[in-house]
Amino acid sequence: MTCEVKLIKSDEFQISEWSGGTTTQIAIYPKEAIYSKRNFTWRISSAKVEVEESTFTHLPGINRIIMILDGEIELVHENHHKCTLKPFEQDSFNGSWNTKSYGKVVDFNLMMNENARGDLESLFIKENEEKKFTLSIGKEDYFKNTQVIYCVYGQTKLHIPLTNNTLTLYEKEAAMLTIDNINPVEFTIYNDHKNIAKVVKTNIMY
Protein backbone atom coordinates (compact mmCIF):
# COMPACT_ATOMS: atom_id res chain seq x y z
CA MET A 1 0.00 0.00 0.00
CA THR A 2 1.47 3.33 -1.04
CA CYS A 3 0.59 6.99 -0.66
CA GLU A 4 2.37 9.57 -2.79
CA VAL A 5 2.93 12.79 -0.87
CA LYS A 6 4.11 16.04 -2.46
CA LEU A 7 4.66 19.45 -0.88
CA ILE A 8 4.01 22.27 -3.35
CA LYS A 9 5.61 25.57 -2.39
CA SER A 10 4.35 28.88 -3.74
CA ASP A 11 7.41 29.39 -5.96
CA GLU A 12 6.42 26.21 -7.86
CA PHE A 13 3.04 27.61 -8.88
CA GLN A 14 2.60 28.66 -12.52
CA ILE A 15 1.18 32.16 -12.97
CA SER A 16 -0.46 33.29 -16.22
CA GLU A 17 -2.80 36.03 -17.39
CA TRP A 18 -6.43 35.72 -18.42
CA SER A 19 -8.94 38.32 -19.59
CA GLY A 20 -9.97 39.31 -16.06
CA GLY A 21 -6.66 39.20 -14.23
CA THR A 22 -4.15 36.49 -13.33
CA THR A 23 -4.44 32.79 -12.54
CA THR A 24 -2.09 30.69 -10.43
CA GLN A 25 -1.94 26.99 -11.25
CA ILE A 26 -1.45 24.97 -8.07
CA ALA A 27 -1.65 21.44 -9.48
CA ILE A 28 -2.61 19.66 -12.70
CA TYR A 29 -3.02 16.04 -13.79
CA PRO A 30 -1.34 14.55 -15.69
CA LYS A 31 1.64 16.61 -14.52
CA GLU A 32 2.80 17.15 -18.12
CA ALA A 33 -0.63 18.47 -19.16
CA ILE A 34 -0.84 22.04 -20.46
CA TYR A 35 -3.90 24.08 -19.55
CA SER A 36 -3.97 25.98 -22.85
CA LYS A 37 -4.15 22.65 -24.72
CA ARG A 38 -7.06 21.48 -22.52
CA ASN A 39 -5.41 18.06 -22.18
CA PHE A 40 -5.81 17.77 -18.41
CA THR A 41 -7.97 15.39 -16.38
CA TRP A 42 -8.15 17.91 -13.56
CA ARG A 43 -6.63 21.26 -12.63
CA ILE A 44 -6.54 23.28 -9.40
CA SER A 45 -5.87 27.00 -9.49
CA SER A 46 -6.45 30.30 -7.73
CA ALA A 47 -7.35 33.38 -9.76
CA LYS A 48 -7.41 37.10 -9.12
CA VAL A 49 -10.38 38.80 -10.76
CA GLU A 50 -9.15 42.38 -11.14
CA VAL A 51 -11.99 43.91 -13.17
CA GLU A 52 -15.55 44.63 -12.08
CA GLU A 53 -17.07 42.62 -14.95
CA SER A 54 -15.49 39.66 -16.69
CA THR A 55 -16.43 36.77 -18.96
CA PHE A 56 -15.26 33.30 -18.01
CA THR A 57 -13.20 31.26 -20.47
CA HIS A 58 -15.35 28.86 -22.51
CA LEU A 59 -14.39 25.30 -21.50
CA PRO A 60 -16.61 22.67 -23.17
CA GLY A 61 -16.42 19.25 -21.54
CA ILE A 62 -15.10 20.66 -18.25
CA ASN A 63 -17.02 20.70 -14.98
CA ARG A 64 -16.04 23.49 -12.61
CA ILE A 65 -16.30 24.33 -8.93
CA ILE A 66 -15.35 27.82 -7.79
CA MET A 67 -14.88 28.97 -4.20
CA ILE A 68 -14.26 32.57 -3.16
CA LEU A 69 -11.23 33.21 -0.92
CA ASP A 70 -11.46 37.00 -0.67
CA GLY A 71 -14.08 39.51 -1.77
CA GLU A 72 -17.61 39.02 -3.08
CA ILE A 73 -18.77 38.07 -6.56
CA GLU A 74 -21.98 37.59 -8.50
CA LEU A 75 -21.91 34.77 -11.05
CA VAL A 76 -24.44 34.77 -13.87
CA HIS A 77 -24.73 31.54 -15.87
CA GLU A 78 -26.84 32.43 -18.91
CA ASN A 79 -30.02 30.30 -19.11
CA HIS A 80 -29.03 28.37 -15.98
CA HIS A 81 -28.70 30.14 -12.62
CA LYS A 82 -27.01 33.02 -10.86
CA CYS A 83 -25.62 33.39 -7.36
CA THR A 84 -23.67 35.71 -5.09
CA LEU A 85 -20.66 34.22 -3.32
CA LYS A 86 -18.85 35.48 -0.24
CA PRO A 87 -15.59 34.08 1.19
CA PHE A 88 -15.54 30.27 1.31
CA GLU A 89 -18.90 29.91 -0.44
CA GLN A 90 -18.89 27.89 -3.68
CA ASP A 91 -20.74 27.23 -6.92
CA SER A 92 -20.65 24.37 -9.43
CA PHE A 93 -21.20 24.80 -13.16
CA ASN A 94 -20.30 23.52 -16.59
CA GLY A 95 -17.46 25.17 -18.49
CA SER A 96 -19.55 25.20 -21.67
CA TRP A 97 -22.02 27.65 -20.12
CA ASN A 98 -21.82 31.35 -20.88
CA THR A 99 -20.73 32.76 -17.52
CA LYS A 100 -20.11 36.32 -16.43
CA SER A 101 -18.88 37.59 -13.08
CA TYR A 102 -19.35 40.90 -11.31
CA GLY A 103 -16.94 41.90 -8.57
CA LYS A 104 -13.23 41.81 -7.76
CA VAL A 105 -12.17 38.69 -5.85
CA VAL A 106 -9.57 36.04 -5.26
CA ASP A 107 -11.04 32.64 -6.01
CA PHE A 108 -10.14 28.95 -5.92
CA ASN A 109 -10.99 26.72 -8.89
CA LEU A 110 -11.33 23.02 -9.53
CA MET A 111 -11.70 21.97 -13.17
CA MET A 112 -12.41 18.36 -14.21
CA ASN A 113 -13.12 16.52 -17.43
CA GLU A 114 -15.64 13.68 -17.72
CA ASN A 115 -13.16 11.18 -16.24
CA ALA A 116 -13.02 12.86 -12.83
CA ARG A 117 -15.33 13.78 -10.00
CA GLY A 118 -14.45 16.04 -7.10
CA ASP A 119 -15.46 18.49 -4.41
CA LEU A 120 -14.10 21.38 -2.33
CA GLU A 121 -14.31 21.79 1.43
CA SER A 122 -13.28 24.79 3.50
CA LEU A 123 -11.73 24.13 6.92
CA PHE A 124 -11.24 26.56 9.80
CA ILE A 125 -8.84 24.99 12.27
CA LYS A 126 -8.40 26.59 15.67
CA GLU A 127 -5.33 26.41 17.88
CA ASN A 128 -4.64 22.83 19.07
CA GLU A 129 -7.49 21.49 16.93
CA GLU A 130 -7.10 18.52 14.58
CA LYS A 131 -9.29 17.10 11.83
CA LYS A 132 -9.02 13.55 10.51
CA PHE A 133 -9.63 12.50 6.90
CA THR A 134 -9.32 9.46 4.66
CA LEU A 135 -8.16 8.92 1.10
CA SER A 136 -10.30 6.16 -0.35
CA ILE A 137 -11.26 4.87 -3.77
CA GLY A 138 -13.89 2.47 -2.41
CA LYS A 139 -15.97 0.48 -4.85
CA GLU A 140 -16.46 3.27 -7.36
CA ASP A 141 -15.24 3.08 -10.94
CA TYR A 142 -12.11 5.15 -10.37
CA PHE A 143 -8.42 4.31 -10.12
CA LYS A 144 -6.97 7.17 -8.08
CA ASN A 145 -7.91 9.48 -5.24
CA THR A 146 -5.99 12.74 -4.86
CA GLN A 147 -6.57 15.24 -2.08
CA VAL A 148 -4.90 18.65 -2.17
CA ILE A 149 -4.61 20.68 1.03
CA TYR A 150 -4.13 24.40 0.32
CA CYS A 151 -3.36 26.77 3.19
CA VAL A 152 -5.15 30.05 2.53
CA TYR A 153 -4.38 31.86 5.81
CA GLY A 154 -2.14 31.07 8.76
CA GLN A 155 -0.23 27.81 8.88
CA THR A 156 -1.11 24.18 9.52
CA LYS A 157 0.43 20.74 9.74
CA LEU A 158 -0.41 17.56 7.88
CA HIS A 159 0.44 14.12 9.29
CA ILE A 160 0.20 10.81 7.38
CA PRO A 161 0.71 7.89 9.80
CA LEU A 162 1.27 5.34 7.00
CA THR A 163 4.35 7.11 5.69
CA ASN A 164 5.24 8.82 9.00
CA ASN A 165 5.29 12.12 7.11
CA THR A 166 4.57 15.42 8.84
CA LEU A 167 4.45 18.50 6.63
CA THR A 168 4.13 22.12 7.68
CA LEU A 169 2.06 24.22 5.29
CA TYR A 170 2.58 27.95 5.41
CA GLU A 171 0.26 30.47 3.81
CA LYS A 172 -0.16 29.89 0.04
CA GLU A 173 1.44 26.44 0.13
CA ALA A 174 -0.18 23.11 -0.72
CA ALA A 175 0.26 19.40 -0.11
CA MET A 176 -0.93 16.74 -2.55
CA LEU A 177 -1.71 13.18 -1.43
CA THR A 178 -2.51 10.41 -3.94
CA ILE A 179 -3.41 6.74 -3.67
CA ASP A 180 -4.03 4.27 -6.50
CA ASN A 181 -5.26 1.21 -4.60
CA ILE A 182 -8.38 0.19 -2.70
CA ASN A 183 -6.82 0.43 0.75
CA PRO A 184 -7.80 3.67 2.53
CA VAL A 185 -5.13 5.97 3.94
CA GLU A 186 -5.82 8.21 6.90
CA PHE A 187 -4.29 11.64 7.48
CA THR A 188 -4.69 14.44 10.00
CA ILE A 189 -4.66 18.21 9.57
CA TYR A 190 -3.89 20.08 12.78
CA ASN A 191 -2.96 23.52 14.01
CA ASP A 192 -0.34 24.07 16.71
CA HIS A 193 -0.16 27.80 16.00
CA LYS A 194 -2.05 30.46 17.97
CA ASN A 195 -3.84 31.89 14.91
CA ILE A 196 -6.72 30.14 13.16
CA ALA A 197 -5.75 28.30 9.98
CA LYS A 198 -8.02 28.58 6.95
CA VAL A 199 -7.64 25.71 4.51
CA VAL A 200 -9.29 24.47 1.32
CA LYS A 201 -9.32 20.69 0.86
CA THR A 202 -9.85 19.37 -2.65
CA ASN A 203 -10.94 15.76 -3.13
CA ILE A 204 -10.72 14.24 -6.63
CA MET A 205 -11.59 10.74 -7.86
CA TYR A 206 -10.33 9.78 -11.34
Side-chain angles (χ1 to χ4, degrees):
M1 180 168 58
T2 60
C3 177
E4 181 182 349
V5 181
K6 178 177 173 56
L7 175 64
I8 312 172
K9 292 186 174 290
S10 57
D11 59 4
E12 299 177 61
F13 298 161
Q14 296 181 23
I15 302 175
S16 57
E17 295 184 355
W18 65 291
S19 61
T22 59
T23 182
T24 299
Q25 180 175 288
I26 297 167
I28 196 168
Y29 182 85
K31 63 181 180 180
E32 64 273 11
I34 299 173
Y35 170 65
S36 60
K37 293 185 177 181
R38 310 291 191 258
N39 59 352
F40 58 89
T41 301
W42 55 261
R43 179 180 186 260
I44 298 170
S45 63
S46 177
K48 289 183 178 180
V49 181
E50 299 172 328
V51 295
E52 284 294 342
E53 179 181 339
S54 63
T55 300
F56 277 33
T57 303
H58 196 59
L59 297 170
I62 300 296
N63 292 312
R64 301 188 59 176
I65 306 175
I66 185 171
M67 177 184 287
I68 301 306
L69 302 182
D70 186 44
E72 182 174 323
I73 196 171
E74 181 184 18
L75 294 178
V76 179
H77 308 293
E78 184 179 344
N79 298 321
H80 294 280
H81 70 272
K82 65 179 180 179
C83 61
T84 299
L85 302 179
K86 297 179 180 180
F88 299 99
E89 295 179 341
Q90 59 183 288
D91 183 38
S92 302
F93 57 101
N94 192 288
S96 65
W97 297 356
N98 294 324
T99 296
K100 284 193 172 184
S101 69
Y102 300 89
K104 297 180 180 181
V105 296
V106 178
D107 62 31
F108 189 89
N109 295 274
L110 171 60
M111 301 179 181
M112 302 165 287
N113 69 12
E114 67 278 2
N115 297 315
R117 177 180 62 82
D119 58 75
L120 301 179
E121 181 181 0
S122 59
L123 306 172
F124 304 92
I125 308 171
K126 296 178 288 187
E127 182 181 6
N128 297 322
E129 183 180 14
E130 67 174 30
K131 295 180 181 291
K132 294 184 178 181
F133 300 94
T134 302
L135 287 99
S136 176
I137 296 174
K139 297 180 180 179
E140 298 185 67
D141 191 23
Y142 295 100
F143 300 98
K144 291 179 181 284
N145 179 204
T146 291
Q147 297 196 26
V148 176
I149 315 304
Y150 179 69
C151 186
V152 181
Y153 301 110
Q155 67 182 64
T156 189
K157 289 190 176 180
L158 176 69
H159 179 63
I160 306 99
L162 175 68
T163 59
N164 200 30
N165 278 35
T166 299
L167 304 176
T168 298
L169 298 181
Y170 297 99
E171 196 166 299
K172 307 300 187 291
E173 292 185 346
M176 182 165 62
L177 288 66
T178 301
I179 61 169
D180 56 4
N181 55 71
I182 62 172
N183 298 306
V185 173
E186 295 183 348
F187 66 96
T188 300
I189 304 173
Y190 64 97
N191 181 13
D192 60 359
H193 197 261
K194 64 180 180 179
N195 295 323
I196 191 169
K198 298 182 180 180
V199 172
V200 177
K201 185 175 78 69
T202 306
N203 176 50
I204 313 165
M205 308 283 288
Y206 55 105

mmCIF file of all heavy atoms in Angstrom, residues 6-14 25-26 168-175:
data_model
loop_
_atom_site.group_PDB
_atom_site.id
_atom_site.type_symbol
_atom_site.label_atom_id
_atom_site.label_comp_id
_atom_site.label_asym_id
_atom_site.label_seq_id
_atom_site.Cartn_x
_atom_site.Cartn_y
_atom_site.Cartn_z
ATOM 1 N N LYS A 6 3.309 14.982 -1.846
ATOM 2 C CA LYS A 6 4.113 16.039 -2.457
ATOM 3 C C LYS A 6 3.785 17.378 -1.822
ATOM 4 O O LYS A 6 2.616 17.761 -1.729
ATOM 5 C CB LYS A 6 3.855 16.111 -3.971
ATOM 6 C CG LYS A 6 4.617 17.236 -4.681
ATOM 7 C CD LYS A 6 4.370 17.216 -6.177
ATOM 8 C CE LYS A 6 4.995 18.431 -6.878
ATOM 9 N NZ LYS A 6 6.438 18.552 -6.629
ATOM 10 N N LEU A 7 4.817 18.078 -1.371
ATOM 11 C CA LEU A 7 4.664 19.446 -0.880
ATOM 12 C C LEU A 7 4.869 20.403 -2.046
ATOM 13 O O LEU A 7 5.855 20.288 -2.778
ATOM 14 C CB LEU A 7 5.688 19.726 0.219
ATOM 15 C CG LEU A 7 5.751 21.160 0.765
ATOM 16 C CD1 LEU A 7 4.445 21.534 1.458
ATOM 17 C CD2 LEU A 7 6.926 21.312 1.727
ATOM 18 N N ILE A 8 3.924 21.311 -2.244
ATOM 19 C CA ILE A 8 4.006 22.272 -3.349
ATOM 20 C C ILE A 8 4.160 23.668 -2.758
ATOM 21 O O ILE A 8 3.224 24.226 -2.178
ATOM 22 C CB ILE A 8 2.762 22.228 -4.251
ATOM 23 C CG1 ILE A 8 2.408 20.783 -4.626
ATOM 24 C CG2 ILE A 8 2.980 23.052 -5.521
ATOM 25 C CD1 ILE A 8 1.082 20.648 -5.349
ATOM 26 N N LYS A 9 5.345 24.236 -2.905
ATOM 27 C CA LYS A 9 5.608 25.575 -2.386
ATOM 28 C C LYS A 9 5.141 26.630 -3.395
ATOM 29 O O LYS A 9 5.000 26.354 -4.581
ATOM 30 C CB LYS A 9 7.090 25.731 -2.063
ATOM 31 C CG LYS A 9 7.544 24.871 -0.884
ATOM 32 C CD LYS A 9 8.968 25.165 -0.501
ATOM 33 C CE LYS A 9 9.369 24.423 0.762
ATOM 34 N NZ LYS A 9 8.678 24.961 1.952
ATOM 35 N N SER A 10 4.930 27.829 -2.891
ATOM 36 C CA SER A 10 4.349 28.877 -3.737
ATOM 37 C C SER A 10 5.228 29.230 -4.933
ATOM 38 O O SER A 10 4.709 29.635 -5.980
ATOM 39 C CB SER A 10 4.071 30.132 -2.900
ATOM 40 O OG SER A 10 5.249 30.595 -2.271
ATOM 41 N N ASP A 11 6.557 29.061 -4.821
ATOM 42 C CA ASP A 11 7.414 29.388 -5.964
ATOM 43 C C ASP A 11 7.355 28.336 -7.062
ATOM 44 O O ASP A 11 7.944 28.515 -8.126
ATOM 45 C CB ASP A 11 8.864 29.635 -5.524
ATOM 46 C CG ASP A 11 9.487 28.432 -4.826
ATOM 47 O OD1 ASP A 11 8.840 27.362 -4.739
ATOM 48 O OD2 ASP A 11 10.640 28.555 -4.351
ATOM 49 N N GLU A 12 6.619 27.238 -6.840
ATOM 50 C CA GLU A 12 6.421 26.214 -7.861
ATOM 51 C C GLU A 12 5.139 26.441 -8.654
ATOM 52 O O GLU A 12 4.903 25.791 -9.667
ATOM 53 C CB GLU A 12 6.390 24.820 -7.229
ATOM 54 C CG GLU A 12 7.651 24.423 -6.501
ATOM 55 C CD GLU A 12 7.508 23.064 -5.839
ATOM 56 O OE1 GLU A 12 7.277 22.075 -6.559
ATOM 57 O OE2 GLU A 12 7.633 22.987 -4.602
ATOM 58 N N PHE A 13 4.295 27.337 -8.177
ATOM 59 C CA PHE A 13 3.039 27.608 -8.879
ATOM 60 C C PHE A 13 3.321 28.296 -10.214
ATOM 61 O O PHE A 13 4.269 29.071 -10.340
ATOM 62 C CB PHE A 13 2.129 28.511 -8.043
ATOM 63 C CG PHE A 13 1.708 27.923 -6.719
ATOM 64 C CD1 PHE A 13 1.233 28.757 -5.711
ATOM 65 C CD2 PHE A 13 1.774 26.570 -6.469
ATOM 66 C CE1 PHE A 13 0.835 28.243 -4.488
ATOM 67 C CE2 PHE A 13 1.383 26.034 -5.251
ATOM 68 C CZ PHE A 13 0.913 26.877 -4.256
ATOM 69 N N GLN A 14 2.473 28.020 -11.200
ATOM 70 C CA GLN A 14 2.598 28.657 -12.515
ATOM 71 C C GLN A 14 1.568 29.778 -12.620
ATOM 72 O O GLN A 14 0.373 29.534 -12.480
ATOM 73 C CB GLN A 14 2.386 27.632 -13.627
ATOM 74 C CG GLN A 14 3.434 26.528 -13.658
ATOM 75 C CD GLN A 14 3.205 25.544 -14.792
ATOM 76 O OE1 GLN A 14 2.565 25.870 -15.798
ATOM 77 N NE2 GLN A 14 3.716 24.336 -14.653
ATOM 78 N N GLN A 25 -1.721 28.433 -11.217
ATOM 79 C CA GLN A 25 -1.944 26.990 -11.245
ATOM 80 C C GLN A 25 -1.231 26.335 -10.066
ATOM 81 O O GLN A 25 -0.021 26.456 -9.918
ATOM 82 C CB GLN A 25 -1.442 26.407 -12.564
ATOM 83 C CG GLN A 25 -1.630 24.901 -12.682
ATOM 84 C CD GLN A 25 -1.242 24.383 -14.048
ATOM 85 O OE1 GLN A 25 -1.953 24.615 -15.024
ATOM 86 N NE2 GLN A 25 -0.124 23.687 -14.137
ATOM 87 N N ILE A 26 -1.999 25.647 -9.247
ATOM 88 C CA ILE A 26 -1.454 24.974 -8.065
ATOM 89 C C ILE A 26 -1.072 23.535 -8.383
ATOM 90 O O ILE A 26 -0.006 23.057 -7.989
ATOM 91 C CB ILE A 26 -2.473 25.040 -6.915
ATOM 92 C CG1 ILE A 26 -2.720 26.506 -6.525
ATOM 93 C CG2 ILE A 26 -2.006 24.222 -5.711
ATOM 94 C CD1 ILE A 26 -3.917 26.714 -5.621
ATOM 95 N N THR A 168 4.636 20.816 7.242
ATOM 96 C CA THR A 168 4.130 22.121 7.675
ATOM 97 C C THR A 168 3.766 22.924 6.436
ATOM 98 O O THR A 168 4.581 23.089 5.527
ATOM 99 C CB THR A 168 5.186 22.879 8.492
ATOM 100 O OG1 THR A 168 5.501 22.127 9.670
ATOM 101 C CG2 THR A 168 4.655 24.241 8.914
ATOM 102 N N LEU A 169 2.525 23.395 6.406
ATOM 103 C CA LEU A 169 2.059 24.221 5.293
ATOM 104 C C LEU A 169 1.933 25.654 5.766
ATOM 105 O O LEU A 169 1.154 25.956 6.679
ATOM 106 C CB LEU A 169 0.703 23.736 4.776
ATOM 107 C CG LEU A 169 0.622 22.333 4.199
ATOM 108 C CD1 LEU A 169 -0.789 22.053 3.713
ATOM 109 C CD2 LEU A 169 1.617 22.151 3.074
ATOM 110 N N TYR A 170 2.699 26.527 5.138
ATOM 111 C CA TYR A 170 2.577 27.950 5.408
ATOM 112 C C TYR A 170 1.589 28.554 4.423
ATOM 113 O O TYR A 170 1.138 27.900 3.483
ATOM 114 C CB TYR A 170 3.947 28.622 5.303
ATOM 115 C CG TYR A 170 4.942 28.118 6.332
ATOM 116 C CD1 TYR A 170 5.892 27.158 6.005
ATOM 117 C CD2 TYR A 170 4.896 28.597 7.642
ATOM 118 C CE1 TYR A 170 6.787 26.685 6.963
ATOM 119 C CE2 TYR A 170 5.788 28.128 8.606
ATOM 120 C CZ TYR A 170 6.725 27.173 8.253
ATOM 121 O OH TYR A 170 7.596 26.696 9.201
ATOM 122 N N GLU A 171 1.243 29.800 4.662
ATOM 123 C CA GLU A 171 0.260 30.475 3.812
ATOM 124 C C GLU A 171 0.650 30.397 2.341
ATOM 125 O O GLU A 171 1.797 30.616 1.978
ATOM 126 C CB GLU A 171 0.144 31.938 4.249
ATOM 127 C CG GLU A 171 -1.083 32.647 3.723
ATOM 128 C CD GLU A 171 -1.320 33.954 4.438
ATOM 129 O OE1 GLU A 171 -1.527 33.918 5.667
ATOM 130 O OE2 GLU A 171 -1.279 34.996 3.772
ATOM 131 N N LYS A 172 -0.315 30.024 1.495
ATOM 132 C CA LYS A 172 -0.164 29.888 0.036
ATOM 133 C C LYS A 172 0.752 28.719 -0.347
ATOM 134 O O LYS A 172 1.400 28.750 -1.389
ATOM 135 C CB LYS A 172 0.349 31.192 -0.594
ATOM 136 C CG LYS A 172 -0.467 32.431 -0.237
ATOM 137 C CD LYS A 172 -1.919 32.319 -0.689
ATOM 138 C CE LYS A 172 -2.692 33.615 -0.502
ATOM 139 N NZ LYS A 172 -2.926 33.955 0.906
ATOM 140 N N GLU A 173 0.772 27.679 0.477
ATOM 141 C CA GLU A 173 1.442 26.437 0.130
ATOM 142 C C GLU A 173 0.416 25.318 0.113
ATOM 143 O O GLU A 173 -0.665 25.418 0.703
ATOM 144 C CB GLU A 173 2.563 26.103 1.112
ATOM 145 C CG GLU A 173 3.731 27.057 1.040
ATOM 146 C CD GLU A 173 4.882 26.647 1.943
ATOM 147 O OE1 GLU A 173 4.689 25.777 2.825
ATOM 148 O OE2 GLU A 173 5.989 27.213 1.766
ATOM 149 N N ALA A 174 0.752 24.223 -0.574
ATOM 150 C CA ALA A 174 -0.184 23.113 -0.718
ATOM 151 C C ALA A 174 0.532 21.782 -0.542
ATOM 152 O O ALA A 174 1.738 21.671 -0.752
ATOM 153 C CB ALA A 174 -0.863 23.161 -2.085
ATOM 154 N N ALA A 175 -0.228 20.772 -0.153
ATOM 155 C CA ALA A 175 0.262 19.397 -0.108
ATOM 156 C C ALA A 175 -0.690 18.539 -0.935
ATOM 157 O O ALA A 175 -1.911 18.728 -0.879
ATOM 158 C CB ALA A 175 0.335 18.878 1.322
#
